[in-house]
Amino acid sequence: MTGTTKPARKRRMALLAASALIAGALGAGGMMQGTAVAAPACTVDYKVVNDWGNGFTASVTVTNNAASALSNWKVEWDYAGNQKAGSGWNATVAQSGAHVTVTAPSWNSTLSSGGSANFGFNGTYSGSNPAPSTFKLNGTTCNVDSGDPGDPGDPGDPGDPGTPGNRVDNPYAGAKLYVNPDWSAQARRSGGAAIANQPTAVWLDRISAITSGSAGENSMGLRDHLDAALAQGATALQMVTYNLPGRDCAALASQGELGPTEIDKYKRQFIDPIAAILSDPKYASLRIINVVEIDSLPNLITNVGSRPTATANCDTMLANGNYVKGVGYALAKLGAIPNVYNYIDIGHHGWLGWDDNFAPTAKLLYQAATSEGSTVNNVAGFAANVANYGALKEPHFTINDSVNGTSVRQSKWVDWNRYVDEQSYAQAFREEAVKAGFRSDVGVIIDTSRNGWGGPNRPSAPAAKTSLDAFVDGSRVDRRIHTGNWCNQAGAGLGERPKAAPAPGIDAYAWIKPPGESDGASEDIPNEEGKKADQMCDPDYGGNARNGNSKSGALDGAPLSGHWFQAQFEELLRNAYPPIN
Ligand code: BGC
């Protein structure tokens, strides 16, 4: 600390004391009687962002125009109609008669000078739904933001990201995507200069990642990334929220820091602080693409109950409902921020492509998307193949092929699945989700970071139809031993480079899993992230019911999930498809 900071600090204290005195002088009614006030010390922007006739969603931004910070901020207004505000997000909303009192959340209780806070809520009404005409911030009457140009967040302003009702259909279209400097530097150092400028997603995989970087070698927190995105002139940033209670219930590699019952901690210490950062008006010009909780809901379909694939942990998470609640809460909270685009994870074709799993998944996702105050308006779409290896398109055969009259569905590899690749799966799932109640404009992201399957073992033509299995096995570019294999796959390569709107219903091919980051360790490595050794990451393991009791196909010597795995990165570069020039 230098000597010059001390007087400045004193000055701030003095101002705070003065404003406390003024606040005290206002008394319970809060109106300043007979005192001339030069300019209101606050501005309130109250917007109805969605209205369905007898209910509505409001988004309110309060700005502190005073020279000093304000602690424990509180906003009040009276409704002229019979509106009833329900519980809100980013603040506590309470109503008595027509009077509404909104109090700051503990994690965002101070409004700095010039700073803003945004909160929202759903309300009901009958008749008309006029906006309140007067607002007070800690007792002082505020300016009402009239929607004049220049107020951040108003429609048509520069950088206006739109409201939940008018987000762009595809956030990737026309966007300049953020390149994560942490990953980029690592890739460059590791022989990957040719691809180091590709955009990859930022993973928020534990509470501390919000402020100081996620697993492994990453150093930047969420604000650092958002600031760096602005500095890059990016218009979109991709992130993953990945920290549910009882995370990774069917495996050990990515078990997390929160136990199965810690849903409140997830809400208050993970999602709420992320929402507080993302709703900073400074970032309103960025489209924030958020992939929600990989593998969680799919696990509740396939790895529970009487299925041979069930695990005790997944049964627990189904029974306690905390995956559904956590996803619903994340969608509601982050979806209330107009420039956030949420994509819910849909596993991959080799997981959910069977009839038993496909439609039930769409229904479960709908249930989650309409829980905890969320609506389907909070869902921009779905994310397929995240951190997985399923081929984007099998070029040499389709699900409609047959050999001597027998469908490829009966081959050992396809095993009655309805899909042979990710793109056909993603497009079909989109349709199923719309049938289940999702918006008709949802799109799918396909993670193509590691599903390239190039290199010397890539078949260049369909195989001869000598037998069903010979045809399928000789034709498929996905060279895995079994589609249930997911850890550090030998022979895999980088897939399609990130690309917006590559096919109908597909919002983007995107690199969500940063290539080079491990899927899991084969041997115990002490750590504080909750991660454990996973046999699926051990090349000598003989498998289980979830991978048809096959070999794991994993590369040996892997570090913990999320940590840099140089040998895998080199494998991915070597086997890239399309190849790297
Ligand atoms: C790990 C995370 C990591 C992510 C991206 C997951 O498997 O559990 O810690 O951030 O992969 O590499």
Side-chain angles (χ1 to χ4, degrees):
M1 205 182 254
T2 68
T4 54
T5 56
K6 277 193 181 148
R9 187 153 172 263
K10 261 197 207 132
R11 210 164 42 238
R12 219 165 35 237
M13 302 291 281
L15 281 167
L16 270 175
S19 64
L21 276 176
I22 295 169
L26 296 177
M31 294 297 288
M32 203 179 262
Q33 302 289 335
T35 312
V37 184
C42 46
T43 305
V44 170
D45 186 1
Y46 176 105
K47 281 198 187 78
V48 172
V49 292
N50 198 3
D51 190 323
W52 49 95
N54 56 4
F56 65 103
T57 302
S59 168
V60 183
T61 303
V62 55
T63 305
N64 175 17
N65 302 326
S68 55
L70 188 63
S71 51
N72 298 323
W73 57 265
K74 179 170 95 177
V75 179
E76 292 168 275
W77 66 81
D78 290 302
Y79 276 125
N82 66 357
Q83 295 101 323
K84 287 273 171 295
S87 64
W89 43 93
N90 294 350
T92 304
V93 180
Q95 183 164 351
S96 164
H99 191 75
V100 177
T101 306
V102 180
T103 46
S106 56
W107 44 264
N108 191 27
S109 61
T110 303
L111 266 182
S112 60
S113 170
S116 299
N118 173 270
F119 58 88
F121 57 92
N122 287 328
T124 57
Y125 72 97
S126 59
S128 63
N129 184 19
S133 53
T134 308
F135 299 89
K136 288 176 194 158
L137 174 64
N138 292 38
T140 303
T141 301
C142 299
N143 261 336
V144 178
D145 185 316
S146 55
D148 291 342
D151 296 323
D154 281 330
D157 283 349
D160 166 36
T163 58
N166 64 8
R167 289 184 170 103
V168 294
D169 177 37
N170 178 357
Y172 285 88
K176 180 171 188 256
L177 292 171
Y178 169 59
V179 176
N180 177 348
D182 269 344
W183 177 80
S184 186
Q186 178 70 62
R188 210 176 291 280
R189 288 199 287 282
S190 309
I195 49 119
N197 282 337
Q198 292 295 346
T200 53
V202 169
W203 286 62
L204 298 177
D205 63 346
R206 51 195 155 135
I207 290 164
S208 64
I210 300 170
T211 47
S212 62
S214 70
E217 294 73 10
N218 300 317
S219 64
M220 297 164 72
L222 181 55
R223 266 193 194 280
D224 302 327
H225 284 295
L226 292 160
D227 290 338
L230 293 178
Q232 279 177 18
T235 58
L237 173 145
Q238 306 168 98
M239 57 177 256
V240 179
T241 35
Y242 188 51
N243 198 30
L244 277 177
R247 191 179 71 186
D248 206 14
C249 65
L252 300 172
S254 284
Q255 293 205 348
E257 65 185 353
L258 299 181
T261 60
E262 293 192 281
I263 184 71
D264 288 335
K265 193 164 176 193
Y266 177 78
K267 291 180 177 178
R268 306 293 157 238
Q269 294 185 39
F270 186 65
I271 295 298
D272 289 356
I274 293 173
I277 294 172
L278 296 184
S279 48
D280 187 331
K282 194 173 156 190
Y283 307 126
S285 64
L286 285 170
R287 295 173 185 167
I288 296 164
I289 294 158
N290 177 39
V291 176
V292 180
E293 296 295 350
I294 312 310
D295 295 352
S296 55
L297 300 175
N299 271 326
L300 298 189
I301 297 291
T302 61
N303 296 327
V304 294
S306 58
R307 294 200 184 203
T309 48
T311 68
N313 287 342
C314 291
D315 279 334
T316 300
M317 297 319 299
L318 179 65
N320 71 19
N322 285 341
Y323 277 1
V324 170
K325 284 181 210 155
V327 169
Y329 188 78
L331 292 172
K333 195 84 191 190
L334 304 176
I337 303 165
N339 51 318
V340 170
Y341 293 79
N342 288 315
Y343 288 82
I344 313 178
D345 184 66
I346 55 167
H348 53 87
H349 87 276
W351 186 351
L352 303 172
W354 284 269
D355 293 346
D356 290 359
N357 306 339
F358 192 70
T361 301
K363 290 199 181 82
L364 178 64
L365 266 52
Y366 179 80
Q367 186 200 333
T370 53
S371 72
E372 298 283 313
S374 178
T375 71
V376 290
N377 292 334
N378 295 319
V379 180
F382 308 96
N385 200 45
V386 175
N388 208 267
Y389 296 87
L392 181 64
K393 292 179 223 167
E394 282 292 355
H396 308 312
F397 75 109
T398 76
I399 198 69
N400 299 317
D401 282 330
S402 58
V403 174
N404 298 327
T406 310
S407 163
V408 294
R409 291 189 65 213
Q410 298 189 46
S411 65
K412 266 170 92 176
W413 173 254
V414 179
D415 190 23
W416 296 100
N417 201 314
R418 292 267 175 208
Y419 307 93
V420 298
D421 53 28
E422 291 306 313
Q423 186 149 302
S424 62
Y425 165 72
Q427 288 172 327
F429 190 89
R430 203 197 82 79
E431 304 281 319
E432 188 67 33
V434 172
K435 268 198 255 157
F438 284 96
R439 290 169 62 112
S440 57
D441 58 1
V442 286
V444 187
I445 302 171
I446 303 176
D447 186 354
T448 57
S449 65
R450 311 181 303 174
N451 66 349
W453 298 108
N457 298 329
R458 181 184 176 90
S460 56
K465 293 191 168 178
T466 48
S467 77
L468 187 60
D469 286 331
F471 169 69
V472 171
D473 288 335
S475 301
R476 60 183 168 92
V477 297
D478 183 338
R479 301 309 304 161
R480 281 179 298 180
I481 297 167
H482 188 276
T483 56
N485 284 350
W486 53 266
C487 195
N488 303 324
Q489 290 299 285
L494 301 166
E496 283 285 340
R497 309 303 108 84
K499 191 174 175 198
I506 307 300
D507 281 356
Y509 299 152
W511 284 11
I512 303 300
K513 174 80 181 182
E517 293 186 5
S518 171
D519 295 314
S522 40
E523 286 169 23
D524 269 322
I525 301 175
N527 69 92
E528 288 170 1
E529 300 170 46
K531 293 169 180 170
K532 304 196 180 77
D534 197 307
Q535 290 185 299
M536 287 296 289
C537 306
D538 175 355
D540 298 326
Y541 178 52
N544 56 44
R546 288 178 295 284
N547 78 335
N549 296 295
S550 319
K551 284 291 196 92
S552 71
L555 293 172
D556 207 359
L560 288 174
S561 64
H563 292 240
W564 192 256
F565 188 8
Q566 181 64 24
Q568 187 197 26
F569 187 62
E570 289 169 16
E571 179 98 341
L572 292 170
L573 290 169
R574 260 197 307 277
N575 295 326
Y577 195 91
I580 292 160
N581 303 313

